[in-house]
Amino acid sequence: MSSSLRPPAQRPCESCPYRRDVPAGIWAREEYAKLRRYDAETPDQPTGLFQCHQADADSALRRVCAGWAGCHAGEELLALRLAVLGGRIDATTYRAVVEYVSPVPLFASGSDAAAHGEADIDAPAEEARRLINKITRTRNDLVQ
């Protein structure tokens, strides 16, 4: 199995925290907090790529999050630069992230996405609970 992550999906998944149409309260506070950190100036950003939440952490199906790619200017992402240098992604994946345009509306920043997601975190609506259950069934590495 290659350690290289795959490029973003054609569209952000139905539970992507960057999507404007995803109900609030799906992810844990810690996951929403991660979104804000990528809004920082390049040298102050996290060094890890933001990966899609739809696959297990150790899955060969891991890919760069399409919402993350669409929300942020790829050239300004420290994690993306380091991933190429470290061999975690190849040049094709790098270009796919930098050139990615989401076909669905995304929040303008990680901070906006996090604020939305955290809004109903203590009392998720029915649609949010449906997505939480779906994710829990899909991901074997999540604690239930």
Side-chain angles (χ1 to χ4, degrees):
M1 177 175 80
S2 171
S3 62
S4 187
L5 292 173
R6 297 181 323 150
Q10 288 185 342
R11 65 186 311 110
C13 62
E14 71 174 332
S15 60
C16 181
Y18 285 101
R19 283 181 66 144
R20 295 184 67 83
D21 62 349
V22 170
I26 292 175
W27 300 103
R29 281 188 205 288
E30 301 81 43
E31 294 301 309
Y32 289 119
K34 291 176 186 178
L35 306 181
R36 290 184 173 94
R37 297 176 53 215
Y38 290 100
D39 290 344
E41 294 295 320
T42 303
D44 299 324
Q45 293 173 11
T47 57
L49 289 168
F50 198 83
Q51 299 175 36
C52 179
H53 285 87
Q54 290 298 312
D56 292 345
D58 59 353
S59 172
L61 302 176
R62 296 298 290 179
R63 63 171 62 243
V64 175
C65 172
W68 180 75
C71 178
H72 299 285
E75 304 89 1
E76 303 301 321
L77 290 167
L78 178 62
L80 194 61
R81 295 176 187 183
L82 294 176
V84 171
L85 292 172
R88 293 214 50 227
I89 62 171
D90 58 25
T92 301
T93 299
Y94 174 85
R95 280 191 303 280
V97 172
V98 169
E99 296 170 2
Y100 184 82
V101 176
S102 175
V104 297
L106 302 175
F107 286 101
S109 69
S111 293
D112 289 350
H116 166 77
E118 292 168 338
D120 293 341
I121 204 162
D122 294 324
E126 184 177 336
E127 176 64 9
R129 289 192 309 274
R130 182 189 71 75
L131 285 172
I132 292 167
N133 290 335
K134 182 176 180 182
I135 294 162
T136 304
R137 286 189 310 273
T138 303
R139 294 273 306 269
N140 296 321
D141 62 331
L142 297 176
V143 178
Q144 294 191 29

